[in-house]
Structure formats: C-alpha cells, structure tokens
C-alpha cells in the first residue's frame, strides 16, 4: 500500500505544473549532474551549497543503473522518496508488540501526506507548497525522512523502557539515534534545526520523570556535533556555508515574507483547504500529546509532541534568524502527520482495522490510475530541449550558458562537460557544478532563452557575430572557430 501511495503521489505531482521542480528546475538537476559526472569518470571538484545531498546522490546513482533515462529516473526517485517516508513513519508508529495498529497509523499519515502533495500545483520553488518537495531529489528529501526516523527511534526506546531493567537497550537506541544525527548533519546541517533542537526539548521534558530520556537527548546532540566535525574535511566542496542566509536583524522582513507566502497559498486552488488541514493536524497533535501522556504512553506522547513542537520551533527559528526560503519550513507540513501516526492508539481496535481494509481497496485503484500519467509525464517529449542537446553534441565543441538556462540541457547531454555554466560576463559560475568543467578554458557557442540576461562579451565581439540556431524557447549563438575565454570563477 505504501508503494501505491508513492506512485499516486508522484503521478499527481508530475502531472501538474509542479512537475517543473521534478524534471526541469535548475537546482533539481544537481544530483543528476553528479551521477553523470561520476559515470564518465570526470575528476570530482564540486562547488556545493551547505547541503551535500549524499544520500540523494547515492540513491539516484543506484536507480540510474536501471537505464530509465533522466526523467524516468527522477520520477522513480520521487516514488522511492515517498516510500522512504512511509518506512520512517512506520518506525515512528512503534512496534506491533507495543503499539496498536502501527501499520494503519503509518499508512494514514502517508495518505494524508499524499493528499497535501497532490493539492500543490505551483511551478515556483518559492511557493509555500512544501509536501511535494519530497518528490524531488534536491529539496532535502533525505533530511525529511531522517527527522521522522529520529523521532521514531526515540519513541521505540521509550516504549521499551518499561520492559527492560538494564541499560543495554537504551545504549543501543542512543547509539542508533546518534548515528542518524551524525549522518544527517554531515549531509545537511538543517537536521540540527529540524530535529536536534526541538526533539531535544521534548526529550528534556520527558527527562524530568524518566531520566534515561537524557541519554537519547545527549546522543542526539553528540551525533549532531560529530556530523558538523565530519563536514570539516569536505569544506572544499562547500561553496556556501549558509551563514549568509542568516541575518537576525531581518526578522521583520522574514515575517513579512513568510506572511506573503501564506497569503498566496491561501488564495491558491485547494490552498485554503490544505492550510486548514495542516492546522487541524497541528492542533490534534497537541491534543493527542495530552491524552497519551495521561495514559502514560510516553513513547507515543513524544511522537505526538513532535507533531506540534517541531513546526513551532522551526517557524519561530526561521523568522528569528531572518531567513527567506520556504523550503526551510518543511517540518510545518510533515511533522503534524505524526499526530495521525499515534491515532490508532487512541481509537477502539476495530476502527483502525476497518480503515486499513478500506484504504487497501482505494490504494489499488490509485495505483492503477497513477501509473499511466506517471509514465506519460516522465516520457513527454521536449523538442526544444532535444534540439539544443542534439546540436551541442553534433558540434563536437563546448558551449556555455547561464545557470537557469543551461542546467537542463547540460543534464541531458551524454557528457555534461559539453555545456559550461557561466554568468553574463562569461565568468565561470561555480555553483552546484563540477569545477572541472571550467578546465576547457573557453566556449565557442552560447545558449540563451527568455530569462538570460544579456551577455557582456570580450572587446571586439558582439552577439551579431554569431550564427543563430532557433530551438524554440532556446537560441544557440554559434561563434564558429572563435573561442570566448572563460573568466575567473565565482559562486
């Protein structure tokens, strides 16, 4: 059933304007570019953001071995991401021996996630449409899964507390939580803001009565510190540490920015309904925390508490730090799903079972309806893109273009070095790209589109000196035997 939901979710996103982020967005191409660079044996000298995308790259590389092409592989990766979220929710739902209907709880939460993702239609990466970002390989899918896994590991350790007098199980659980934190911070420091801080707060409250909860909080913090230390040898890969995105003096502007995004989302189709649904889930998580705490179900109460504490801490933190990026607020959407994970624990036993039976039939139908549009979306022809790719490869030469223009054609080349990422002054734009690309020294043609600022060419050279090849939304400017030198790198 988890696979059926995953396919239905990706089909819904891929069939909407939101597919722009999955198949064509410049940022979303970075993981595919890394996989292609590795496949051709290119020296690896990447200029990455503060996020290294290590799990996403590894998963995409494995999926690329199936030979589905760029779009087919990205679509499959999206389904794998959603299925991984189900696995994480299943961990958070607890073991069958100590939790009621954990599979039903995990499926209920995943189905709710699917409905939220399907309601998001904007092609903008800056829209407050956060559930569908999980379908991409770039917008922190591994971190989303890791946060839910961390909550689940804490829950399972607390569930076992009453069944074990020794410390062995606690030690194992603490080590596991620490390893998840270390690996997650290594690839994305946001894990510390999304999980380490808020989950530690929840565990600290539990620690007032159950002191062993401090073991878990300590392991979470220690693992996060280890992750930051492990990033030091990889500093040459990080072109931007993210420090520039933080400016507490801009908190008012940040509040205004996120408020505007909220208003836009409210006015969007299905936007108001999705925001109300998330608000209700947030409120239910708070209610469930109280009910479970009164019943002394500490592990489940921690899961429910994370459903409202994570969004609260992350949202207040994002505003206080003066950030301006919708993707930082993803916990406001996926964390409240944890309130549904624990719902079976508060219902009569027969209700979750009946719900699971009904969901099975619905998901079989969803699977049958989802596969055809997913295949259609991942195999849809793009003649303009094909024109650029075929001409560039047929020329046998190296060309260039600006970030938002050249990323997609570059990704679809058999050798991505055939197109170099430049700025409007022909300087090498070392951002989410392999710096080895710039070793060529110069380019002999430029690719532009409607969003390309005018190039500033070397003295004595103008765009009129180039022959133009019309490729629909793209234009190729071919300077023939003349080489335009690549300027100093910038990021």
């Amino acid at each position: 059933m988890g696979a059926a939901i995953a396919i239905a979710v990706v089909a819904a996103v891929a069939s909407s304007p939101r597919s722009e982020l999955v198949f064509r967005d410049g940022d979303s191409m970075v993981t595919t570019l890394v996989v292609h660079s590795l496949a051709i044996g290119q020296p690896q000298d990447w200029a990455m953001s503060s996020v290294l995308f290590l799990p996403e790259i590894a998963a995409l590389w494995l999926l690329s071995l199936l030979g589905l092409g760029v779009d087919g592989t990205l679509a499959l990766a999206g389904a794998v991401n959603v299925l991984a979220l189900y696995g994480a929710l299943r961990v958070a739902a607890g073991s069958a021996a100590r939790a009621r209907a954990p599979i039903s709880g995990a499926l209920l939460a995943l189905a709710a996630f699917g409905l939220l993702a399907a309601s998001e239609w904007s092609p903008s990466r800056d829209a407050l449409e956060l559930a569908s970002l999980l379908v991409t390989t770039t917008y922190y899918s591994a971190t989303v899964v890791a946060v839910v896994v961390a909550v689940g590991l804490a829950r399972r350790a607390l569930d076992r507390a009453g069944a074990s007098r020794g410390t062995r199980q606690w030690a194992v659980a603490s080590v596991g939580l620490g390893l998840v934190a270390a690996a997650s911070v290594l690839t994305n420091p946001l894990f510390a803001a999304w999980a380490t801080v808020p989950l530690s707060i929840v565990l600290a409250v539990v620690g007032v009565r159950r002191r062993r909860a401090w073991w878990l909080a300590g392991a979470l913090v220690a693992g996060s510190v280890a992750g930051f230390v492990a990033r030091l040898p990889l500093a040459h890969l990080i072109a931007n540490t993210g420090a520039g995105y933080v400016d507490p003096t801009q908190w008012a502007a940040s509040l205004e920015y996120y408020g505007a995004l909220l208003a836009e989302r409210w006015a969007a189709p299905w936007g108001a309904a999705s925001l109300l649904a998330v608000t209700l889930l947030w409120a239910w998580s708070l209610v469930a925390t109280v009910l479970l705490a009164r019943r002394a179900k500490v592990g489940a109460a921690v899961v429910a508490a994370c459903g409202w504490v994570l969004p609260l801490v992350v949202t207040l933190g994002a505003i206080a730090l003066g950030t301006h990026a919708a993707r930082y607020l993803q916990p406001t959407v996926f964390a409240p799903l944890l309130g549904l994970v624990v719902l079976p624990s508060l219902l009569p036993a027969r209700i979750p079972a009946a719900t699971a039976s009904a969901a099975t039939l619905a998901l079989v139908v969803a699977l049958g309806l989802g596969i055809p549009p997913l295949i259609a979306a991942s195999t849809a022809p793009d003649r303009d893109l094909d024109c650029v790719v075929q001409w560039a490869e047929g020329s046998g030469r190296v060309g260039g273009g600006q970030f938002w223009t050249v990323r997609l054609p570059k990704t679809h080349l058999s050798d991505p070095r055939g197109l170099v990422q430049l700025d409007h002054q022909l300087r090498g734009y070392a951002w989410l790209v392999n710096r080895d690309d710039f070793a060529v020294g110069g380019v002999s043609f430029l690719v532009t589109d409607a969003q390309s600022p005018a190039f500033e060419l070397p003295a004595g050279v103008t765009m009129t000196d180039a022959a133009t090849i019309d490729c629909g939304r793209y234009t190729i400017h071919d300077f023939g035997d003349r080489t335009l030198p690549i300027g100093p790198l910038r990021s």
Side-chain angles (χ1 to χ4, degrees):
M1 288 190 288
I5 294 178
I7 292 174
V9 169
V10 178
V13 175
S15 302
S16 75
R18 199 70 171 159
S19 64
E20 187 73 18
L21 292 184
V22 181
F23 300 121
R24 292 172 289 278
D25 178 68
D27 284 344
S28 297
M29 297 297 104
V30 61
T31 50
T32 304
L33 285 171
V34 173
V35 170
H36 288 180
S37 179
L38 291 169
I40 64 174
Q42 184 180 9
Q44 301 300 297
D45 183 17
W46 285 84
M48 304 296 276
S49 67
S50 58
V51 185
L52 300 177
F53 308 109
L54 300 178
E56 293 92 339
I57 290 170
L60 195 67
W61 175 76
L62 289 173
L63 296 176
S64 70
L65 300 178
L66 298 175
L68 300 177
V70 173
D71 288 351
T73 302
L74 288 172
L76 181 58
V80 169
N81 289 346
V82 178
L83 193 58
L85 176 61
Y86 168 69
L89 291 169
R90 181 62 188 83
V91 173
S95 66
R98 297 186 175 89
R100 178 183 295 170
I103 294 177
S104 295
L107 286 174
L108 183 61
L110 188 68
F113 164 82
L115 291 174
L116 291 174
S119 73
E120 299 175 352
W121 298 346
S122 171
S124 173
R125 72 187 62 83
D126 296 321
L128 200 64
E129 300 185 359
L130 307 176
S132 54
L133 294 182
L134 184 73
V135 176
T136 73
T137 62
T138 311
Y139 292 109
Y140 319 149
S141 57
T143 307
V144 170
V145 173
V147 171
V148 179
V149 168
V151 173
L153 290 176
R155 184 246 172 96
R156 291 187 175 229
L158 292 166
D159 281 348
R160 289 193 296 264
S164 175
R165 296 181 180 179
T167 60
R168 182 176 180 180
Q169 289 185 334
W170 276 89
V172 171
S174 298
V175 170
L177 189 56
L179 289 175
V180 169
S184 299
V185 171
L186 170 63
T187 189
N188 186 359
L190 269 180
F191 179 88
W194 286 5
T196 305
V197 173
L199 181 53
S200 293
I201 292 173
V202 173
L203 291 173
V205 173
V206 175
V208 173
R209 292 192 175 184
R210 297 200 177 190
R211 294 183 180 179
R212 287 184 177 178
W214 287 102
W215 286 51
L216 299 173
L220 188 61
V221 172
S224 299
V225 171
F228 280 111
V229 172
R231 289 172 62 86
L232 296 178
L234 303 177
H236 64 287
L237 300 176
I238 303 172
N240 188 339
T241 63
Y245 300 145
V246 175
D247 184 359
T249 64
Q250 294 296 311
W251 68 268
S254 178
L255 178 62
E256 181 180 359
Y257 173 78
Y258 290 124
L261 291 184
L262 187 64
E264 290 177 7
R265 180 59 182 149
W266 181 268
W270 293 103
S274 66
L275 289 175
L276 288 173
V278 170
T279 302
L280 288 174
L281 289 174
W282 185 88
W284 163 247
S285 295
L286 179 58
V287 171
T289 302
V290 176
L291 294 175
L292 291 165
R294 287 178 176 176
R295 298 184 186 186
K297 295 182 178 181
V298 180
V302 165
V303 173
C306 288
W308 63 272
V309 173
L310 264 66
L312 183 63
V313 171
V314 170
T315 301
L316 293 178
I319 294 172
L321 293 175
T323 63
H324 291 76
R327 61 187 180 275
Y328 295 159
L329 301 184
Q330 287 183 65
T332 61
V333 171
F334 72 79
L337 299 174
L338 295 170
L340 295 178
V341 167
V342 300
L343 180 59
S345 298
L346 296 167
L347 295 176
R350 64 182 181 277
I351 295 180
T355 302
S357 298
T360 301
L361 178 60
L363 292 174
V364 169
V365 174
L367 179 60
L369 295 177
I371 290 179
L374 180 56
I375 294 175
S378 61
T379 58
D382 186 338
R383 293 181 177 85
D384 298 347
L385 173 63
D386 292 342
C387 174
V388 175
V389 171
Q390 292 169 10
W391 192 94
E393 293 185 336
S395 73
R397 294 179 279 118
V398 176
Q402 297 175 43
F403 184 90
W404 298 111
T405 301
V406 82
R407 295 283 287 185
L408 184 60
K410 179 180 178 65
T411 303
H412 284 260
L413 291 178
S414 57
D415 186 340
R417 290 173 291 189
L419 285 172
V420 179
Q421 199 168 281
L422 307 171
D423 68 5
H424 71 288
Q425 295 179 319
L426 297 185
R427 293 178 295 180
Y429 187 46
W431 179 246
L432 303 182
V433 74
N434 193 337
R435 297 184 185 95
D436 181 69
D437 289 353
F438 305 111
V440 68
V443 298
S444 63
F445 65 90
L446 298 172
V447 181
T448 62
D449 64 5
Q451 58 185 343
S452 300
F455 279 102
E456 296 179 12
L457 302 181
V461 182
T462 66
M463 294 296 279
T464 59
D465 295 332
T468 58
I469 297 88
D470 182 13
C471 284
R473 68 180 185 273
Y474 297 104
T475 301
I476 300 173
H477 307 268
D478 181 21
F479 292 88
D481 295 333
R482 175 174 289 175
T483 298
L484 306 178
I486 299 174
L489 304 190
R490 77 172 187 86
S491 63

Coordinates of all heavy atoms in Angstrom, one line a residue, residues 191-256:
F191 N 19.3 19.5 9.7 CA 18.8 18.5 10.6 C 18.9 18.9 12.0 O 18.0 18.6 12.8 CB 19.6 17.2 10.4 CG 19.2 16.1 11.3 CD1 18.2 15.2 11.0 CD2 19.8 15.9 12.6 CE1 17.8 14.2 11.8 CE2 19.4 14.9 13.4 CZ 18.4 14.0 13.1
A192 N 19.9 19.7 12.3 CA 20.1 20.2 13.7 C 18.9 21.1 14.1 O 18.4 21.1 15.2 CB 21.4 21.0 13.8
A193 N 18.4 21.9 13.1 CA 17.3 22.8 13.4 C 16.0 22.1 13.4 O 15.1 22.4 14.1 CB 17.3 24.0 12.4
W194 N 15.9 21.1 12.5 CA 14.6 20.4 12.3 C 14.4 19.3 13.4 O 13.2 19.1 13.7 CB 14.5 19.8 10.9 CG 14.3 20.8 9.8 CD1 14.3 22.1 9.9 CD2 14.1 20.4 8.5 NE1 14.1 22.7 8.6 CE2 13.9 21.6 7.7 CE3 14.0 19.2 7.8 CZ2 13.7 21.7 6.4 CZ3 13.8 19.3 6.4 CH2 13.7 20.5 5.7
A195 N 15.5 18.7 13.8 CA 15.3 17.6 14.8 C 16.1 17.8 16.1 O 15.5 17.6 17.1 CB 15.8 16.3 14.1
T196 N 17.4 18.1 16.0 CA 18.2 18.1 17.2 C 17.6 19.0 18.3 O 17.4 18.6 19.4 CB 19.6 18.5 16.9 OG1 20.1 17.6 15.9 CG2 20.5 18.4 18.1
V197 N 17.3 20.3 17.9 CA 16.8 21.2 18.9 C 15.4 20.9 19.4 O 15.2 20.7 20.6 CB 16.9 22.7 18.3 CG1 16.2 23.7 19.2 CG2 18.3 23.1 18.0
P198 N 14.4 20.8 18.5 CA 13.1 20.5 19.0 C 12.9 19.2 19.7 O 12.2 19.1 20.7 CB 12.2 20.6 17.8 CG 13.1 20.4 16.6 CD 14.4 20.9 17.0
L199 N 13.5 18.1 19.1 CA 13.4 16.8 19.7 C 14.1 16.8 21.1 O 13.6 16.1 22.0 CB 13.9 15.7 18.8 CG 13.8 14.3 19.3 CD1 12.4 13.9 19.7 CD2 14.3 13.3 18.2
S200 N 15.2 17.4 21.2 CA 15.9 17.5 22.5 C 15.1 18.2 23.5 O 15.1 17.9 24.7 CB 17.3 18.3 22.3 OG 18.1 17.5 21.5
I201 N 14.3 19.2 23.1 CA 13.4 19.9 24.0 C 12.4 19.0 24.5 O 12.1 18.9 25.8 CB 12.8 21.1 23.3 CG1 13.8 22.2 23.0 CG2 11.6 21.7 24.2 CD1 13.3 23.4 22.2
V202 N 11.8 18.2 23.6 CA 10.7 17.2 24.0 C 11.3 16.2 25.0 O 10.7 15.9 26.0 CB 10.1 16.5 22.8 CG1 9.2 15.4 23.2 CG2 9.4 17.6 21.9
L203 N 12.5 15.7 24.6 CA 13.1 14.6 25.5 C 13.5 15.2 26.8 O 13.5 14.5 27.9 CB 14.3 14.1 24.8 CG 14.0 13.2 23.5 CD1 15.3 12.8 22.8 CD2 13.3 11.9 23.9
A204 N 13.9 16.5 26.9 CA 14.3 17.1 28.2 C 13.1 17.2 29.1 O 13.2 16.9 30.3 CB 14.8 18.5 27.9
V205 N 11.9 17.4 28.5 CA 10.7 17.5 29.3 C 10.4 16.1 29.9 O 10.0 15.9 31.0 CB 9.5 18.0 28.5 CG1 8.2 17.9 29.3 CG2 9.7 19.4 28.1
V206 N 10.5 15.1 29.0 CA 10.3 13.7 29.4 C 11.3 13.3 30.5 O 11.0 12.6 31.4 CB 10.4 12.7 28.2 CG1 10.3 11.3 28.7 CG2 9.3 13.0 27.2
G207 N 12.5 13.8 30.4 CA 13.6 13.5 31.3 C 13.4 14.0 32.7 O 14.0 13.5 33.6
V208 N 12.4 14.8 32.9 CA 12.0 15.3 34.3 C 11.6 14.1 35.1 O 11.9 14.0 36.3 CB 11.0 16.4 34.2 CG1 10.5 16.7 35.7 CG2 11.5 17.6 33.6
R209 N 10.9 13.1 34.5 CA 10.4 12.0 35.2 C 11.1 10.7 34.8 O 11.2 9.7 35.5 CB 8.9 11.8 35.0 CG 8.1 12.9 35.6 CD 6.6 12.5 35.6 NE 5.8 13.5 36.4 CZ 4.5 13.4 36.6 NH1 3.8 12.3 36.2 NH2 3.9 14.3 37.3
R210 N 11.6 10.7 33.6 CA 12.4 9.5 33.1 C 13.8 9.9 32.7 O 14.0 10.4 31.6 CB 11.6 8.8 31.9 CG 10.3 8.3 32.3 CD 9.8 7.3 31.3 NE 8.5 6.7 31.7 CZ 8.0 5.6 31.1 NH1 8.6 5.0 30.1 NH2 6.8 5.2 31.5
R211 N 14.7 9.8 33.6 CA 16.0 10.4 33.4 C 16.7 9.8 32.2 O 17.6 10.4 31.7 CB 16.8 10.2 34.7 CG 16.3 11.0 35.9 CD 17.1 10.9 37.1 NE 16.6 11.7 38.2 CZ 17.2 11.7 39.4 NH1 18.3 11.1 39.7 NH2 16.6 12.5 40.4
R212 N 16.4 8.5 31.9 CA 17.1 7.9 30.8 C 16.8 8.6 29.4 O 17.5 8.4 28.5 CB 16.7 6.4 30.7 CG 17.3 5.6 31.8 CD 17.0 4.1 31.6 NE 17.6 3.3 32.6 CZ 17.5 2.0 32.6 NH1 16.7 1.4 31.8 NH2 18.1 1.3 33.6
A213 N 15.8 9.4 29.4 CA 15.5 10.2 28.2 C 16.7 11.2 27.9 O 16.9 11.5 26.7 CB 14.2 11.0 28.3
W214 N 17.4 11.5 28.9 CA 18.6 12.4 28.7 C 19.6 11.7 27.9 O 20.4 12.3 27.2 CB 19.1 12.8 30.1 CG 18.3 13.8 30.8 CD1 17.4 13.6 31.8 CD2 18.2 15.2 30.5 NE1 16.8 14.8 32.2 CE2 17.2 15.8 31.4 CE3 18.8 16.1 29.5 CZ2 16.9 17.2 31.3 CZ3 18.5 17.4 29.5 CH2 17.5 17.9 30.4
W215 N 19.7 10.3 28.0 CA 20.6 9.6 27.2 C 20.3 9.8 25.7 O 21.2 10.0 24.9 CB 20.5 8.1 27.5 CG 21.1 7.6 28.7 CD1 20.9 8.1 30.0 CD2 22.0 6.5 28.9 NE1 21.6 7.4 30.9 CE2 22.3 6.4 30.3 CE3 22.6 5.6 28.0 CZ2 23.1 5.4 30.8 CZ3 23.4 4.6 28.5 CH2 23.7 4.6 29.9
L216 N 19.1 9.8 25.4 CA 18.6 10.0 24.0 C 19.0 11.4 23.5 O 19.5 11.6 22.4 CB 17.2 9.7 23.8 CG 16.7 8.3 24.2 CD1 15.2 8.2 24.1 CD2 17.4 7.3 23.2
A217 N 18.6 12.4 24.4 CA 18.9 13.8 24.0 C 20.4 14.0 23.9 O 20.9 14.7 22.9 CB 18.3 14.7 25.1
G218 N 21.2 13.4 24.8 CA 22.6 13.5 24.7 C 23.2 12.9 23.4 O 24.1 13.5 22.8
A219 N 22.7 11.7 23.1 CA 23.1 11.1 21.9 C 22.8 11.9 20.6 O 23.6 12.0 19.7 CB 22.5 9.7 21.8
L220 N 21.6 12.5 20.6 CA 21.2 13.3 19.5 C 22.1 14.5 19.3 O 22.5 14.8 18.2 CB 19.7 13.8 19.8 CG 19.0 14.5 18.6 CD1 18.9 13.6 17.4 CD2 17.6 14.9 19.1
V221 N 22.4 15.2 20.4 CA 23.3 16.4 20.4 C 24.7 15.9 20.0 O 25.4 16.6 19.2 CB 23.3 17.1 21.7 CG1 24.4 18.2 21.7 CG2 21.9 17.7 22.0
A222 N 25.2 14.9 20.6 CA 26.6 14.4 20.3 C 26.7 14.0 18.9 O 27.7 14.3 18.2 CB 26.9 13.2 21.3
G223 N 25.7 13.3 18.4 CA 25.7 12.9 17.0 C 25.7 14.1 16.0 O 26.4 14.1 15.0
S224 N 25.0 15.1 16.4 CA 24.9 16.3 15.5 C 26.3 17.0 15.5 O 26.7 17.5 14.5 CB 23.8 17.2 16.1 OG 22.6 16.6 16.0
V225 N 26.9 17.1 16.7 CA 28.2 17.7 16.8 C 29.2 16.9 15.9 O 30.0 17.5 15.2 CB 28.7 17.8 18.3 CG1 30.2 18.2 18.3 CG2 27.8 18.7 19.0
A226 N 29.1 15.6 16.0 CA 30.0 14.7 15.2 C 29.8 14.9 13.7 O 30.7 14.9 12.9 CB 29.8 13.2 15.6
G227 N 28.5 15.2 13.4 CA 28.2 15.4 12.0 C 28.9 16.7 11.5 O 29.4 16.8 10.4
F228 N 28.8 17.8 12.3 CA 29.5 19.0 12.0 C 31.0 18.9 11.8 O 31.6 19.4 10.9 CB 29.1 20.1 13.0 CG 27.8 20.7 12.8 CD1 26.8 20.5 13.7 CD2 27.5 21.5 11.7 CE1 25.5 21.1 13.6 CE2 26.3 22.1 11.5 CZ 25.3 21.9 12.5
V229 N 31.6 18.1 12.7 CA 33.0 17.9 12.7 C 33.4 17.1 11.4 O 34.4 17.4 10.7 CB 33.5 17.1 13.9 CG1 35.0 16.7 13.8 CG2 33.3 17.9 15.2
A230 N 32.5 16.1 11.0 CA 32.8 15.3 9.8 C 32.7 16.1 8.6 O 33.3 15.7 7.5 CB 31.8 14.1 9.8
R231 N 32.1 17.3 8.6 CA 32.0 18.2 7.4 C 33.3 18.9 7.2 O 33.5 19.4 6.0 CB 30.8 19.2 7.6 CG 29.5 18.6 7.6 CD 28.4 19.6 7.9 NE 28.4 20.7 7.0 CZ 27.7 20.8 5.9 NH1 27.0 19.7 5.5 NH2 27.7 21.9 5.1
L232 N 34.1 19.0 8.2 CA 35.4 19.8 8.0 C 36.2 19.4 6.9 O 36.7 20.2 6.1 CB 36.1 19.9 9.3 CG 35.4 20.5 10.5 CD1 36.3 20.5 11.8 CD2 35.1 22.0 10.2
P233 N 36.5 18.0 6.7 CA 37.3 17.6 5.6 C 36.7 17.8 4.2 O 37.4 17.7 3.2 CB 37.5 16.1 5.9 CG 37.2 15.9 7.3 CD 36.2 16.9 7.6
L234 N 35.4 18.1 4.2 CA 34.7 18.3 3.0 C 34.5 19.8 2.7 O 33.7 20.2 1.8 CB 33.3 17.6 3.0 CG 33.4 16.1 3.3 CD1 32.0 15.5 3.4 CD2 34.2 15.4 2.2
A235 N 35.2 20.7 3.4 CA 35.0 22.1 3.3 C 35.2 22.6 1.9 O 34.6 23.6 1.4 CB 35.9 22.8 4.3
H236 N 36.1 21.9 1.1 CA 36.4 22.4 -0.2 C 35.2 22.2 -1.2 O 35.2 22.8 -2.3 CB 37.6 21.6 -0.8 CG 37.4 20.2 -0.9 ND1 37.4 19.3 0.2 CD2 37.3 19.4 -2.0 CE1 37.2 18.1 -0.3 NE2 37.1 18.1 -1.6
L237 N 34.3 21.3 -0.8 CA 33.1 21.1 -1.6 C 32.0 22.1 -1.4 O 31.0 22.2 -2.1 CB 32.6 19.7 -1.4 CG 33.5 18.5 -1.7 CD1 32.8 17.2 -1.3 CD2 33.9 18.5 -3.2
I238 N 32.1 22.9 -0.3 CA 31.0 23.7 0.2 C 31.3 25.2 -0.2 O 32.1 25.9 0.4 CB 30.8 23.6 1.7 CG1 30.6 22.2 2.1 CG2 29.7 24.5 2.2 CD1 30.5 21.9 3.6
A239 N 30.7 25.6 -1.3 CA 30.9 27.0 -1.8 C 30.2 28.0 -1.0 O 30.5 29.2 -1.0 CB 30.5 27.0 -3.3
N240 N 29.1 27.6 -0.3 CA 28.4 28.5 0.6 C 28.0 27.8 1.8 O 27.2 26.8 1.8 CB 27.1 29.0 -0.2 CG 26.4 30.1 0.6 OD1 26.5 30.2 1.8 ND2 25.6 30.9 -0.2
T241 N 28.5 28.2 3.0 CA 28.2 27.5 4.2 C 26.7 27.8 4.7 O 26.3 27.1 5.6 CB 29.1 28.0 5.3 OG1 28.9 29.4 5.6 CG2 30.6 27.8 5.0
G242 N 26.0 28.7 4.1 CA 24.7 29.1 4.5 C 24.6 30.2 5.5 O 23.6 30.7 5.9
A243 N 25.8 30.6 6.0 CA 25.8 31.7 7.0 C 25.2 33.0 6.4 O 24.7 33.8 7.2 CB 27.3 31.9 7.5
G244 N 25.4 33.2 5.1 CA 24.9 34.4 4.5 C 23.4 34.4 4.4 O 22.8 35.5 4.2
Y245 N 22.7 33.3 4.7 CA 21.3 33.2 4.7 C 20.7 33.6 6.0 O 19.4 33.8 6.1 CB 20.8 31.8 4.3 CG 21.2 31.3 3.0 CD1 21.5 30.0 2.8 CD2 21.3 32.2 1.9 CE1 21.9 29.5 1.5 CE2 21.7 31.7 0.6 CZ 22.0 30.4 0.5 OH 22.4 29.9 -0.7
V246 N 21.5 33.8 7.0 CA 21.1 34.1 8.4 C 21.4 35.6 8.7 O 22.5 36.0 8.6 CB 21.7 33.2 9.4 CG1 21.3 33.6 10.8 CG2 21.3 31.7 9.1
D247 N 20.4 36.3 9.1 CA 20.6 37.7 9.5 C 19.4 38.1 10.4 O 18.3 38.5 10.0 CB 20.6 38.7 8.3 CG 20.9 40.1 8.7 OD1 21.0 40.4 9.9 OD2 20.9 41.0 7.8
P248 N 19.6 37.9 11.8 CA 18.6 38.2 12.7 C 18.0 39.6 12.7 O 16.8 39.8 13.1 CB 19.3 37.9 14.1 CG 20.4 37.0 13.8 CD 20.9 37.4 12.4
T249 N 18.7 40.5 12.1 CA 18.2 41.9 12.1 C 17.1 42.0 11.0 O 16.3 42.9 11.0 CB 19.3 42.9 11.7 OG1 19.8 42.6 10.4 CG2 20.5 42.8 12.7
Q250 N 16.9 40.9 10.2 CA 15.9 40.9 9.2 C 14.7 40.2 9.6 O 13.9 39.7 8.7 CB 16.5 40.3 7.9 CG 17.6 41.1 7.2 CD 17.1 42.5 6.7 OE1 16.1 42.5 6.1 NE2 17.8 43.5 7.1
W251 N 14.5 40.0 10.9 CA 13.4 39.1 11.3 C 12.0 39.7 10.9 O 11.1 38.9 10.5 CB 13.4 39.0 12.9 CG 13.1 40.3 13.6 CD1 14.0 41.2 14.1 CD2 11.8 40.7 14.0 NE1 13.3 42.2 14.7 CE2 12.0 42.0 14.7 CE3 10.5 40.3 13.8 CZ2 10.9 42.7 15.1 CZ3 9.4 41.0 14.3 CH2 9.6 42.2 14.9
A252 N 11.9 41.0 10.9 CA 10.6 41.6 10.5 C 10.4 41.4 9.0 O 9.2 41.1 8.6 CB 10.6 43.1 10.8
A253 N 11.4 41.5 8.2 CA 11.3 41.2 6.7 C 11.0 39.8 6.5 O 10.2 39.4 5.6 CB 12.6 41.6 6.0
S254 N 11.6 38.9 7.3 CA 11.3 37.5 7.2 C 9.8 37.2 7.5 O 9.2 36.4 6.8 CB 12.2 36.7 8.2 OG 12.0 35.3 8.1
L255 N 9.3 37.8 8.6 CA 7.9 37.6 9.0 C 7.0 38.0 7.9 O 6.0 37.4 7.5 CB 7.6 38.4 10.3 CG 6.2 38.3 10.8 CD1 5.8 36.9 11.1 CD2 6.0 39.2 12.0
E256 N 7.3 39.2 7.3 CA 6.5 39.7 6.2 C 6.6 38.8 5.0 O 5.6 38.5 4.3 CB 7.0 41.1 5.8 CG 6.2 41.7 4.7 CD 6.7 43.1 4.3 OE1 7.7 43.6 4.9 OE2 6.2 43.7 3.4

